[in-house]
Amino acid sequence: MKSILFILCLMCLTSCKNNSDSDVNMKTNSEELTMNGVWKLASYYNYKDNQIVDTIKASDEYKQIKIYTKSKVMWSRYKEADSVDWFGYGDYFIKEDSLTEILDFGSKSMNKAIKEQKRFVFELKLNQNKFSQVQIDEEGNPIYAENYERIE
């Protein structure tokens, strides 16, 4: 049951909206940062006591892509050993270091998760060609992160 919940949480990590009132384009040292583009999952981090304790690299057998526009996101996941389809679509917005995803719909399996929870909030670490969305527990500690690299 915990593994199903973990998978559902991971799936929900991947759909987002940009609210026009939010500043999605962050600036650091005169460099504008944006989520717009196509991103490929590179790895996962697992945390314990606020430290990364495990890194799981993505592979050809496990692929996940996120596509952000100015106000929408769509993601899909391919896992060779999994016969269940996973994709999602929705809105996102960014406020400071926080990414909020609001899913509208997804694959049949993802829609089951969306019925339970539509809104997901993550800590966001964004730079020009990489970003991490970090799941935080109720005490403010990191649990795990999805780490992406820009491919377009």
Side-chain angles (χ1 to χ4, degrees):
M1 183 66 178
K2 286 184 179 180
S3 63
I4 292 171
L5 182 59
F6 177 73
I7 290 170
L8 291 176
C9 287
L10 289 177
M11 302 314 302
C12 293
L13 291 175
T14 56
S15 191
C16 312
K17 172 185 178 185
N18 175 7
N19 197 344
S20 60
D21 295 336
S22 302
D23 184 16
V24 172
N25 299 326
M26 300 177 191
K27 292 189 179 188
T28 305
N29 299 331
S30 301
E31 180 180 276
E32 186 175 302
L33 300 177
T34 180
M35 296 291 288
N36 293 353
V38 182
W39 302 82
K40 178 180 178 182
L41 181 69
S43 65
Y44 290 100
Y45 292 155
N46 290 314
Y47 291 85
K48 183 175 182 181
D49 299 325
N50 291 319
Q51 300 292 321
I52 297 170
V53 294
D54 192 21
T55 301
I56 302 165
K57 298 281 185 186
S59 67
D60 286 339
E61 291 80 34
Y62 187 96
K63 299 176 187 177
Q64 187 161 299
I65 301 292
K66 294 179 86 168
I67 302 170
Y68 287 90
T69 68
K70 214 163 96 174
S71 63
K72 301 289 184 183
V73 66
M74 181 151 189
W75 62 266
S76 67
R77 181 181 82 174
Y78 171 76
K79 186 175 180 184
E80 193 170 283
D82 191 352
S83 63
V84 177
D85 292 330
W86 290 101
F87 70 85
Y89 170 81
D91 303 314
Y92 75 98
F93 66 90
I94 295 172
K95 187 170 183 172
E96 298 174 10
D97 296 341
S98 178
L99 168 64
T100 301
E101 306 173 345
I102 304 162
L103 303 179
D104 294 327
F105 68 90
S107 59
K108 186 175 183 179
S109 45
M110 192 62 222
N111 280 334
K112 291 177 186 176
I114 292 170
K115 284 181 184 178
E116 298 293 319
Q117 182 177 355
K118 288 184 68 140
R119 180 181 294 262
F120 300 88
V121 179
F122 307 98
E123 179 182 317
L124 177 64
K125 298 177 182 180
L126 175 64
N127 68 40
Q128 189 66 31
N129 293 309
K130 295 181 180 184
F131 84 89
S132 295
Q133 56 185 54
V134 184
Q135 177 67 44
I136 304 296
D137 69 16
E138 55 279 342
E139 297 173 2
N141 302 309
I143 302 169
Y144 64 88
E146 289 183 354
N147 307 303
Y148 290 86
E149 295 176 350
R150 185 185 300 274
I151 58 175
E152 184 176 296

